[in-house]
Amino acid sequence: MAKYASKNAIIIFTILLISFLATVESQQFSRKLSQRSLGLRKEKLSHFRFYFHDIVSGPNATAIRIVEATRTNRTAATGFGDISMIDNPLTAGPERTSRLVGRAQGMYTSAGFNEMGLLMVMNYVFVEGKYNGSTLSIMGRNAVMSPVREMPIVGGSGLFRFARGYAEARTHSFNMNNGDAVVEFNLYVLHY
């Protein structure tokens, strides 16, 4: 009888020890992975060029002001504090009728009190070819009065997982009457 009790105690102790070790293991915060385990190959550099159509006027506007800072609009000509939500078309050429390659979805806000500067937070959602469904995320300052603006690419999804790089923006056209703009974007992207 004592022999069985001793065996049972060892079995119970072993089960408790394994349970404890499994619990400790499952509470681990991080672990190292190999790039290969995620299917990551050699990194490559790609260049993308497209046109961003910021349509703020008319019944089919793709950029809608969702917050207007009435307090600062009286003192800042820049619209400081205004926030616009966007779902802007991205096309292969500057014409609105050009082939659609994606959409810019996100928002921009006027972040400069004395100088026109936008904080851009958006995803480029691609619909063209092998990039269909993949996204690139941009977050940065757009000094819209500068001839060339540079914003960081902070990540992506799909074929752009672990992406990084930068976007250059150049105003192609701006309609002073209605505020609509077409901006040429050149993206330089490191991705797998």
Side-chain angles (χ1 to χ4, degrees):
M1 185 83 161
K3 182 179 172 184
Y4 290 115
S6 175
K7 273 187 172 179
N8 286 341
I10 292 173
I11 291 171
I12 290 172
F13 175 75
T14 304
I15 291 171
L16 290 173
L17 181 61
I18 290 171
S19 296
F20 172 74
L21 292 175
T23 302
V24 169
E25 183 66 28
S26 70
Q27 293 176 359
Q28 185 178 358
F29 176 69
S30 68
R31 63 186 172 121
K32 291 187 178 190
L33 296 173
S34 72
Q35 289 182 339
R36 195 175 303 176
S37 72
L38 293 175
L40 302 177
R41 299 172 305 280
K42 184 178 178 190
E43 206 169 31
K44 57 188 162 227
L45 176 64
S46 297
H47 171 243
F48 298 89
R49 186 181 81 173
F50 50 78
Y51 293 84
F52 172 101
H53 297 264
D54 195 41
I55 306 165
V56 299
S57 67
N60 298 319
T62 59
I64 307 291
R65 182 176 292 150
I66 58 172
V67 172
E68 186 172 317
T70 55
R71 181 174 178 219
T72 57
N73 277 340
R74 284 181 261 148
T75 56
T78 62
F80 178 71
D82 290 356
I83 301 173
S84 295
M85 188 63 66
I86 63 169
D87 186 8
N88 290 343
L90 304 174
T91 61
E95 302 79 22
R96 176 64 186 99
T97 56
S98 187
R99 184 178 84 251
L100 184 73
V101 297
R103 301 204 67 88
Q105 297 174 333
M107 65 179 134
Y108 55 78
T109 182
S110 179
F113 190 83
N114 295 315
E115 178 187 2
M116 190 61 181
L118 302 176
L119 168 62
M120 308 286 289
V121 179
M122 63 186 157
N123 289 311
Y124 294 134
V125 182
F126 295 100
V127 298
E128 178 78 8
K130 72 178 184 177
Y131 300 108
N132 185 22
S134 295
T135 67
L136 285 170
S137 299
I138 306 288
M139 187 176 95
R141 183 173 189 270
N142 183 353
V144 295
M145 301 311 276
S146 297
V148 179
R149 288 89 70 194
E150 196 173 292
M151 290 163 275
I153 296 170
V154 296
S157 68
L159 291 178
F160 298 118
R161 286 185 197 120
F162 300 104
R164 65 189 189 284
Y166 70 98
E168 282 183 351
R170 291 176 177 80
T171 302
H172 177 76
S173 63
F174 178 71
N175 186 322
M176 295 287 282
N177 295 323
N178 63 17
D180 291 353
V182 177
V183 178
E184 177 186 337
F185 271 90
N186 284 279
L187 276 56
Y188 302 92
V189 185
L190 280 168
H191 61 101
Y192 291 96

